[in-house]
Amino acid sequence: MDAIFVFEQLLNGLGYGLMLFLIAAGLTLVFGIMDTMNLAHGSLYMAGAYVAARVHEASASFALAVLAAVLVTVAVAALLEVLVIRRLYRRDHLVQVLATFGIILIADDAVKAIWGVAPLMASTPAALAGPVQLAEGLPYPSYRLLLIAAGLLVALGLYLLVNKTRIGMLVRAGASNRQMAEFMGVRVGTVFAFVFALGAGLAALAGALMAPISSVQIGMGEAILIPALVVIVIGGIGSIRGAFVAALLVGLVDTAGRAFLPLALRAVLPPSVAADLGPALAGIAMYVLMAAVLTLKPAGLFPARA
Amino acid sequence: MNRPASDSSRVAATTGAAAVAEHPHQPFAVRFPGFARRLPWLVLAILALFPLLAPTFGLEYYVGFVRRLLIVAIAASSLNFILGYGGMAALGHAGFIGVGAYTVVALVEAGFSSAWLAWGGALVVAGLSAALIGAVSLRTRGVYFIMITLAFAQMLYYLAVSLRTYGGDDGYGLYTPLEMGVWLDGVHPDVFYWVVLVIAALVFACFSRVAHSRYGHALRGIRDNETRMVALGYPVYRLKLAGFIAAGAVAGLAGGLLASHNAFVSPAMMHWTQSALLLVMVMLGGLGRRWGAPLGVALWLVLEETLKMHTDYWHWPLGVLLLLAVFHAPQGLAALSERREGGR
Amino acid sequence: MSLFVAEGLVKRFGGLLATDHVDLAVERGEIHALIGPNGAGKSTLVNLISGLLPADAGRIVLDGVDLTALAPHQRVHHGLARCFQITSVFRNDSVRDNLLLAVQAQAGSSFRCLRRREAETALMDAALALADRTGLAAVLERPAGVLPHGMQKRLDLALALAAHPRLLLLDEPMAGMGPEDSVQMIELIGRLRSETAILLIEHDMDAVFRLADRISVLVYGRVLTSGDAAHVKGHAEVQSVYLGTEAHA
């Protein structure tokens, strides 16, 4: 295990963490502001991935593919908000679980009907297919660098949007105290719709960017949803800053766990046991992290509500 | 082809009425107390006769289906117990099913072949896991409880994936059926069906009984007003933990039975969507209602089975059903007929 | 020795000192009123004594037994019961079921899970006796949530009485009541004097002066003074910080 391998894994973790952040940001806002548990958030991520993969294949333009993914998903999300989500805001969490689970079922079938059952192979944009020489003896896939850059850029944009703009102020007001915000005359319905669309756009962006390095298939939304939920719980529900920190934490812990735990175990345990235990512990790492954080800080690292 | 659906709608219509029997002021039970009391026995009799009558109607295939339905109903009843009566929204219940199933695998792998030992082991080991998981999880509230139970189930999932001795991701086949003893094995091809039916009936009767006991009343009190229960002197945490352990154990038993039913066990049994599905079925049937769990399971599985026969796209109608339920029958199926009766 | 003693109770919420080293004693057979302006920390104090909020420092002793380390439900079994300012009953259950639940907490184990509760005549008798004592016998079958406010308050009190308390904490039992209900409640509390000591938080000064043997005044989380009605009425500081503001309100 040399320094280069470690550095490479850290970069991978950073990239994964940033993508998780894009997904978790919308989820945490919807949860924090509207008190709505949206299991179907992962389906929006899936939609982004599918649209991007198909448009990229058809047009050969990656930029166009990403743009189309975001626009289409936002449009779908807006429709979803009007038809279903809007009517769930004041309902019980369990009812929200029921309804949004229903949406997952519908979304999975819709994707199957449109794009078929077989996983899509999304290609990396040709210009970014090769590695970049980051340092002597350290080649790193240039596409993964793009992922990191895009993630950081969006995080910065989101930070500015939430902290420096009027709409951001309304969003924060809604997250920390909805009743007060309503009392102050904030048009909560409009803010909700905006936030939901924003979250959908970010999830679609993550889906589009992740498509070339993961398999685009039905069920990918359900698979990414759980880590994203773990992120928002660790970060503190409703907190963008918390989601950012927690996403990087989870990204690093998960990647590091997969890369280093089997190696570390092999050093201290018999190989057969280590081979069994390594992947299990790596998969479990982020949940242990969550349990630890909740034990110490029951409302997450950065509680949005006082 | 229509048969399962019409069966289920008849069950739905009649069992819904039985739920009324729980509330003495409801008119139906007042007018037909005898019928409402006898209804569970009627349902049991129909289910018991089903394997004997099925060949006459060409429904042999559905004996296995009903057996699975009964097993899932056992698991759903246990979730209904802690969620509906106890207000504990656990989103990791499939984890206990998995623990039960893998306990059976472990015992088989270790050379044991007794079904009773395997299922009993599933019950005990799942109960122990529930004790550990509950002891930690029940210190949290609301969404955090949902998330932490989910997290523990995910841990169990990855644990199963990593157990290469038991097939890892690919699962584990149980090639020889477990032995239920000389009195049962080989007596009739459907003997396992009746064993499952008896266990399901016992579990259902137990939960119904407990619901009216001191413990059941205390559990509902905690669901409705936890702070007040503390101020009345109830050991709320221990009461909840006891319920959580019982539910986990029963789910484990269902897992053990499911392992026998499928002759196969895999980590997919404990995927989080399975936990969500269980929750969905219970809510669809009616949270905290006596007949909620079996009704929800019957409705869901019968629809799934019927839809699968006609189309590859069988998910979306179920999704639409959930949305309809959320907006038009939020109290669940078991409550629908009650409300109609009450409104008269 | 006093029946109940609280010593040096402290509770902080962030930077706010909500309870500031409070010492309080309640004698046997005494109705001890706790008054003070809004935000003085009266409800916080009741929550600390009943254990629903953990205290940051201090000690609670009832009848010589130190309850400080006990969980709230264990304190109930040592004879410390309470009511709630915001009426806390089981709204969907009948009055009878409410009372049964309260009685059940005191009589044997609630882990019993096979016998039907309806078959336990001892429980039922105790619940009916409680209903008689608190004037709820006529509404036994009504859901608690649909009762008039005054009745709900009385039910809240009845639930606490089921514990056979030696010290009863009443957090504004007259809150939101009309004059008629208030009179009934005052009468009911007066009758309880023979069976339990009472720590009474109340804004209705008329009720306080009619019921209380002793009055403590809480201001900014501190006990300003303690004494009988005449002492408190004559206390200059009390007049300025409390009765003064009340008179303006």
Side-chain angles (χ1 to χ4, degrees):
Chain A
M1 195 190 329
D2 53 10
I4 287 179
F5 177 65
V6 172
F7 188 68
E8 202 179 302
Q9 291 304 322
L10 287 181
L11 278 183
N12 283 349
L14 181 65
Y16 177 50
L18 285 167
M19 291 303 108
L20 269 182
F21 169 67
L22 294 189
I23 301 159
L27 204 56
T28 204
L29 283 178
V30 169
F31 213 146
I33 298 176
M34 312 168 195
D35 199 24
T36 299
M37 195 164 186
N38 176 23
L39 295 186
H41 197 68
S43 300
L44 299 169
Y45 166 82
M46 171 175 70
Y50 266 95
V51 172
R54 273 306 188 209
V55 172
H56 187 202
E57 194 182 83
S59 70
S61 160
F62 189 66
L64 184 67
V66 172
L67 188 67
V70 171
L71 289 179
V72 169
T73 308
V74 166
V76 171
L79 192 68
L80 201 61
E81 205 269 344
V82 172
L83 289 180
V84 181
I85 304 291
R86 183 171 289 184
R87 301 161 73 183
L88 293 175
Y89 291 144
R90 290 183 185 280
R91 303 285 293 271
D92 188 66
H93 282 142
L94 279 177
V95 170
Q96 293 161 356
V97 166
L98 194 68
T100 52
F101 192 76
I103 296 174
I104 291 181
L105 293 175
I106 298 172
D108 282 353
D109 259 7
V111 166
K112 190 157 91 177
I114 302 172
W115 291 294
V117 198
L120 296 188
M121 286 297 146
S123 50
T124 340
L128 296 170
V132 171
Q133 210 67 25
L134 283 184
E136 190 66 36
L138 177 54
Y140 195 74
S142 50
Y143 183 74
R144 282 184 179 266
L145 279 183
L146 170 83
L147 224 62
I148 293 172
L152 287 174
L153 217 64
V154 173
L156 180 68
L158 208 54
Y159 171 81
L160 293 177
L161 177 74
V162 170
N163 288 301
K164 305 285 178 203
T165 64
R166 190 179 143 67
I167 185 112
M169 188 201 76
L170 297 180
V171 167
R172 272 179 298 140
S176 58
N177 192 332
R178 175 165 51 171
Q179 266 175 341
M180 184 58 85
E182 278 176 36
F183 187 68
M184 306 279 282
V186 175
R187 282 168 62 200
V188 179
T190 318
V191 174
F192 281 10
F194 169 77
V195 168
F196 192 77
L198 177 69
L202 291 174
L205 179 62
L209 292 176
M210 287 293 277
I213 57 168
S214 63
S215 78
V216 178
Q217 60 183 343
I218 292 163
M220 65 188 289
E222 288 89 285
I224 199 77
L225 177 70
I226 303 302
L229 282 170
V230 167
V231 163
I232 74 170
V233 167
I234 290 178
I237 291 172
S239 165
I240 289 274
R241 188 165 53 131
F244 185 73
V245 174
L248 294 188
L249 259 177
V250 168
L252 287 174
V253 164
D254 193 62
T255 311
R258 283 173 211 287
F260 305 133
L261 260 179
L263 293 175
L265 285 176
R266 227 172 290 160
V268 293
L269 291 171
S272 64
V273 179
D276 260 11
L277 220 53
L281 290 183
I284 287 170
M286 75 167 114
Y287 301 106
V288 174
L289 178 69
M290 175 170 110
V293 168
L294 284 189
T295 311
L296 298 175
K297 304 203 74 176
L301 294 176
F302 300 92
R305 283 166 215 269
Chain B
M1 193 154 303
N2 269 332
R3 187 75 194 167
S6 67
D7 255 4
S8 92
S9 64
R10 194 172 68 223
V11 171
T14 46
T15 52
V20 178
E22 274 187 297
H23 306 276
H25 50 274
Q26 295 282 353
F28 184 91
V30 172
R31 254 180 286 150
F32 310 106
F35 181 70
R37 212 178 320 118
R38 276 184 222 119
L39 190 88
W41 296 105
L42 191 68
V43 174
L44 187 62
I46 293 171
L47 285 170
L49 290 174
F50 182 61
L52 301 177
L53 301 176
T56 326
F57 301 100
L59 293 172
E60 296 95 327
Y61 168 78
Y62 290 99
V63 175
F65 171 75
V66 175
R67 193 172 69 190
R68 180 162 72 95
L69 198 152
L70 288 168
I71 296 172
V72 178
I74 293 173
S77 294
S78 72
L79 180 61
N80 187 30
F81 184 63
I82 51 168
L83 176 60
Y85 293 98
M88 295 171 248
L91 188 51
H93 217 56
F96 299 123
I97 298 181
V99 168
Y102 273 93
T103 303
V104 169
V105 167
L107 287 170
V108 167
E109 185 75 18
F112 296 98
S113 59
S114 159
W116 305 107
L117 178 79
W119 298 333
L123 182 97
V124 170
V125 176
L128 289 175
S129 333
L132 290 176
I133 291 174
V136 176
S137 307
L138 287 170
R139 300 190 182 277
T140 61
R141 298 262 170 289
V143 173
Y144 294 98
F145 181 75
I146 298 183
M147 288 305 301
I148 207 150
T149 47
L150 174 71
F152 277 114
Q154 289 291 103
M155 293 185 202
L156 292 171
Y157 173 82
Y158 284 106
L159 188 66
V161 168
S162 76
L163 288 172
R164 265 192 240 165
T165 346
Y166 303 144
D169 226 353
D170 301 327
Y172 185 95
L174 296 156
Y175 300 110
T176 30
L178 295 165
E179 293 158 14
M180 292 183 286
V182 282
W183 294 102
L184 292 171
D185 287 325
V187 172
H188 188 280
D190 290 320
V191 74
F192 181 40
Y193 172 96
W194 283 304
V195 167
V196 167
L197 177 62
V198 168
I199 293 174
L202 281 176
V203 164
F204 188 69
C206 272
F207 280 135
S208 301
R209 183 91 196 180
V210 172
H212 292 281
S213 71
R214 279 176 170 234
Y215 180 73
H217 283 283
L219 207 54
R220 259 175 289 180
I222 293 169
R223 174 193 70 190
D224 292 342
N225 193 342
E226 186 166 330
T227 308
R228 189 32 140 168
M229 290 297 278
V230 171
L232 286 179
Y234 281 96
V236 164
Y237 174 76
R238 277 191 292 141
L239 286 165
K240 282 165 86 171
L241 185 57
F244 194 82
I245 293 171
V250 170
L253 172 64
L257 294 172
L258 209 54
S260 289
H261 170 88
N262 292 330
F264 179 71
V265 170
S266 81
M269 291 171 87
M270 7 183 172
H271 196 258
W272 77 265
T273 46
Q274 295 300 312
S275 293
L277 205 54
L278 216 50
L279 211 137
V280 159
M281 289 193 278
V282 170
M283 290 187 67
L284 210 51
L287 265 187
R289 311 223 173 229
R290 189 183 182 195
W291 292 87
L295 266 181
V297 171
L299 175 74
W300 189 270
L301 292 185
V302 166
L303 272 178
E304 186 185 281
E305 195 70 18
T306 318
L307 288 166
K308 270 181 184 170
M309 262 189 280
H310 294 285
T311 167
D312 283 341
Y313 298 95
W314 52 273
H315 289 103
W316 74 265
L318 293 170
V320 171
L321 173 76
L322 290 186
L323 291 177
L324 287 176
V326 162
F327 295 119
H328 298 290
Q331 303 295 313
L333 260 189
L336 272 186
S337 58
E338 243 173 275
R339 194 171 51 187
R340 205 167 50 231
E341 290 293 336
R344 233 179 244 174
Chain C
M1 194 183 66
S2 303
L3 170 74
F4 171 81
V5 179
E7 277 174 9
L9 283 182
V10 173
K11 183 69 194 178
R12 290 188 185 83
F13 293 114
L16 176 75
L17 201 55
T19 306
D20 185 3
H21 300 89
V22 166
D23 297 322
L24 199 70
V26 181
E27 308 301 326
R28 276 164 229 281
E30 181 184 55
I31 296 186
H32 189 140
L34 191 64
I35 63 172
N38 283 326
K42 302 186 296 289
S43 286
T44 303
L45 188 58
V46 169
N47 283 335
L48 293 181
I49 295 174
S50 62
L52 292 185
L53 274 178
D56 294 327
R59 221 159 70 92
I60 287 166
V61 179
L62 181 66
D63 228 356
V65 181
D66 191 326
L67 303 184
T68 317
L70 296 185
H73 73 268
Q74 293 169 319
R75 297 183 189 192
V76 179
H77 294 288
H78 281 90
L80 190 66
R82 67 166 295 176
C83 288
F84 288 82
Q85 183 182 351
I86 297 164
T87 317
S88 183
V89 297
F90 302 90
R91 301 180 57 83
N92 297 324
D93 293 344
S94 68
V95 169
R96 193 174 57 113
D97 284 349
N98 269 270
L99 295 173
L100 277 171
L101 206 51
V103 169
Q104 180 192 322
Q106 306 307 321
S109 169
S110 278
F111 286 93
R112 267 186 230 164
C113 57
L114 287 179
R115 188 162 173 213
R116 289 181 72 86
R117 192 182 68 177
E118 312 305 316
E120 299 198 40
T121 46
L123 279 188
M124 197 66 79
D125 292 345
L128 292 180
L130 197 54
D132 278 335
R133 251 167 33 137
T134 48
L136 292 165
V139 291
L140 275 179
E141 301 304 328
R142 306 258 311 269
V146 306
L147 293 179
H149 178 71
M151 288 262 200
Q152 289 196 27
K153 277 287 192 194
R154 234 184 296 161
L155 178 58
D156 198 332
L157 178 60
L159 294 183
L161 284 179
H164 304 297
R166 283 182 286 179
L167 176 64
L168 180 60
L169 310 173
L170 298 179
D171 194 353
E172 300 201 21
M174 259 76 86
M177 273 190 182
E180 209 167 304
D181 284 334
S182 290
V183 169
Q184 282 186 354
M185 186 56 100
I186 290 174
E187 195 197 334
L188 179 57
I189 294 173
R191 264 186 283 143
L192 295 176
R193 194 191 294 269
S194 61
E195 47 189 285
T196 174
I198 293 173
L199 182 63
L200 171 71
I201 291 181
E202 189 47 64
H203 271 300
D204 181 342
M205 283 302 130
D206 190 36
V208 168
F209 289 132
R210 280 174 63 183
L211 285 169
D213 304 304
R214 208 142 57 96
I215 300 171
S216 289
V217 184
L218 200 66
V219 179
Y220 296 125
R222 286 184 166 175
V223 178
L224 191 62
T225 184
S226 268
D228 61 14
H231 168 77
V232 169
K233 277 180 188 166
H235 198 282
E237 244 182 299
V238 175
Q239 283 175 348
S240 68
V241 300
Y242 183 66
L243 296 177
T245 55
E246 191 75 352
H248 291 299

